[in-house]
Amino acid sequence: MPIQPELSQTLSTSLTLPPIPPSLALTPLFGHPPSTHLHTVYNLYASQIASILWTVEGENVPRRPVIVGVALKKAPSTASTDLPGEDDLELTDAERSLYMEVMKMVFSIVSSS
């Protein structure tokens, strides 16, 4: 799979991720997240991973359906006020940091194929 040099450079330095297409349709295949917050987080992961795959393939390649399985380790429960509530759609700093590290890892794996 050819790597687009500008994408590789962008992700390695400033972590600018490719935009998620507004026409992207997510379809859960099995299970469901335990909360509204995690539903949003899982959708964000799946959408961004699909966008990375399509971007690495290039613009002249027709977009194929992508199946992404998301399994995140449940965070230990604490009484911290920094943790999101049941319906809180904002990511915590820890979630945001983990998300960026996972996206860097995905890009690294896909671009080395």
Side-chain angles (χ1 to χ4, degrees):
M1 204 177 283
I3 304 168
Q4 296 179 344
E6 66 278 357
L7 178 65
S8 177
Q9 180 66 26
T10 301
L11 283 175
S12 65
T13 56
S14 67
L15 294 177
T16 301
L17 296 169
I20 297 170
S23 61
L24 183 83
L26 298 174
T27 304
L29 297 178
F30 54 90
H32 58 85
S35 70
T36 304
H37 175 77
L38 288 178
H39 176 75
T40 302
V41 171
Y42 291 0
N43 284 347
L44 182 61
Y45 272 83
S47 300
Q48 191 64 65
I49 291 169
S51 296
I52 290 171
L53 293 171
W54 289 328
T55 303
V56 168
E57 284 184 335
E59 293 180 17
N60 297 328
V61 177
R63 289 190 175 164
R64 299 173 291 163
V66 176
I67 297 175
V68 178
V70 178
L72 302 174
K73 182 178 178 181
K74 189 172 182 178
S77 49
T78 63
S80 171
T81 57
D82 189 36
L83 293 176
E86 175 71 21
D87 294 325
D88 189 2
L89 299 181
E90 288 291 319
L91 296 178
T92 64
D93 289 339
E95 286 174 321
R96 190 172 283 109
S97 176
L98 177 63
Y99 174 81
M100 293 307 289
E101 291 302 316
V102 169
M103 293 308 135
K104 277 176 53 177
M105 181 182 63
V106 167
F107 179 75
S108 171
I109 291 168
V110 169
S111 63
S112 67
S113 299

